Amino acid sequence: MKDVLRRSLATAFILISILVLVVLSTSITAFAIAASAASRQSPKASANDGGGTVFYHPTPTDDGYVYGFDAVSKTVVAIPASAAGTTTPGISYRYTLGPACPAAAPFDATLCAGASSYCASVGKAGFHEYVWRTDELSDFKQWLIVGDVCSGGLGDPVSEQQVVDEVSEYERVHVPIPKPNVQPGTYTLVNLPVLVSVTDPGEQVMSVQQPVPGQLVATPTFTWTFDDGTILNGVGRPYADGVDPRYDRSGYYLSHTYREPRAHASVTLVVTWHATFAAAGQTFDLPDLRMPGITTTFEVDEAHAVLVGG
């Protein structure tokens, strides 16, 4: 009887020990998961802050993506708007991407099995990545996960040089070509001012979609070069009744006066466009676009007095 009792007590002790171990194991696992989640949701700035791939102030667009500029690689980066989190107008943000792993942290590029296999399992390409974001409200020190993406759906980054080159070509094709107005016209006289003017198209604002969506702003300047080397700058005005160009001292007209005859006089108008392109939270300065000159030719004659009998 005593042996049976001892065996029963031993069995009960073993069962109780197993139960305690299970409870402890579950608690430790739950704690580890909670700690891991907490570290992903609110990590503090680290020594790597500012390193890695960071793009700034992303610009929302109608194509379903936000675009930001990676200051390290000098490229424009796009991510789906659905993975970029809700933004507040007037607040500056920074984003970075990293493998979607249990112990993930911003700027940590360490892959895990889950990040490598997840996208293929849902029929998408690339690695599974978290979208991390910080903002000026935390002095860019508090990084949060705001979404996730499969890297195969991001597209290739666009280099700064590609942006400048392609938008410059768009500008060249789409800016208007102002035509010069030269008065009196085909013939003029010595000591009679030649008036030059052009209709100013003004600032041109254009929406550009490729290689990244943005706004192109171009402003023209005008340079007039006469065959004798005289250079004038500006829009000028056509002749107006009541304002004699021979006595204009106020600069009302843009004009040049020849003091001797010329059989083949000319003036060439060159329009130069100065442009910027705003995209991905950045403003890109484009090279000045100097359009081909438009030349107007004319003859400068000398007036001769003729006596007329009366």
Side-chain angles (χ1 to χ4, degrees):
M1 185 67 179
K2 291 182 179 180
D3 290 339
V4 173
L5 180 60
R6 280 197 294 268
R7 284 196 297 270
S8 298
L9 289 174
T11 301
F13 178 77
I14 291 171
L15 292 175
I16 292 172
S17 298
I18 292 174
L19 179 61
V20 170
L21 288 173
V22 169
V23 171
L24 286 175
S25 176
T26 302
S27 299
I28 291 171
T29 301
F31 177 80
I33 293 173
S36 176
S39 68
R40 295 199 308 271
Q41 294 301 318
S42 58
K44 299 295 183 180
S46 68
N48 289 329
D49 188 37
T53 299
V54 181
F55 52 103
Y56 301 81
H57 322 305
T59 303
T61 63
D62 294 334
D63 65 358
Y65 288 85
V66 295
Y67 294 82
F69 185 68
D70 178 357
V72 176
S73 64
K74 301 295 183 182
T75 58
V76 174
V77 182
I79 62 171
S82 59
T86 303
T87 60
T88 302
I91 300 298
S92 295
Y93 297 91
R94 296 179 187 174
Y95 287 74
T96 189
L97 305 176
C101 296
F107 312 112
D108 182 1
T110 304
L111 279 174
C112 60
S116 300
S117 62
Y118 172 80
C119 293
S121 71
V122 295
K124 297 181 179 180
F127 298 105
H128 189 206
E129 294 187 301
Y130 285 137
V131 179
W132 297 87
R133 188 180 76 186
T134 185
D135 57 45
E136 62 180 281
L137 298 178
S138 69
D139 197 24
F140 300 110
K141 293 180 179 179
Q142 192 82 7
W143 289 89
L144 303 174
I145 295 174
V146 294
D148 65 295
V149 295
C150 286
S151 61
L154 297 177
D156 295 329
V158 180
S159 71
E160 181 177 14
Q161 190 59 54
Q162 182 181 348
V163 171
V164 170
D165 290 346
E166 293 192 24
V167 176
S168 294
E169 176 61 16
Y170 184 95
E171 175 195 11
R172 187 189 67 79
V173 172
H174 289 86
V175 291
I177 303 176
K179 295 182 178 180
N181 178 32
V182 180
Q183 296 172 298
T186 307
Y187 297 94
T188 188
L189 297 174
V190 170
N191 296 322
L192 181 66
V194 177
L195 307 184
V196 294
S197 63
V198 63
T199 300
D200 186 358
E203 182 180 85
Q204 301 292 301
V205 179
M206 292 171 271
S207 178
V208 178
Q209 297 303 316
Q210 297 295 331
V212 295
Q215 186 179 74
L216 169 65
V217 179
T219 305
T221 56
F222 308 93
T223 302
W224 307 83
T225 303
F226 289 83
D227 63 291
D228 63 359
T230 300
I231 297 176
L232 303 175
N233 295 288
V235 175
R237 291 186 178 91
Y239 176 76
D241 290 338
V243 184
D244 192 330
R246 294 174 297 175
Y247 308 109
D248 176 30
R249 299 293 182 270
S250 64
Y252 182 85
Y253 294 111
L254 200 60
S255 66
H256 175 55
T257 302
Y258 287 90
R259 301 303 180 186
E260 59 184 27
R262 280 181 179 265
H264 303 286
S266 66
V267 59
T268 299
L269 169 65
V270 172
V271 180
T272 303
W273 291 90
H274 313 275
T276 59
F277 180 60
Q282 303 292 307
T283 298
F284 301 91
D285 292 320
L286 304 184
D288 286 347
L289 175 62
R290 188 177 187 272
M291 303 298 287
I294 302 175
T295 299
T296 302
T297 59
F298 50 91
E299 182 179 344
V300 181
D301 293 328
E302 188 168 20
H304 298 280
V306 177
L307 294 176
V308 178

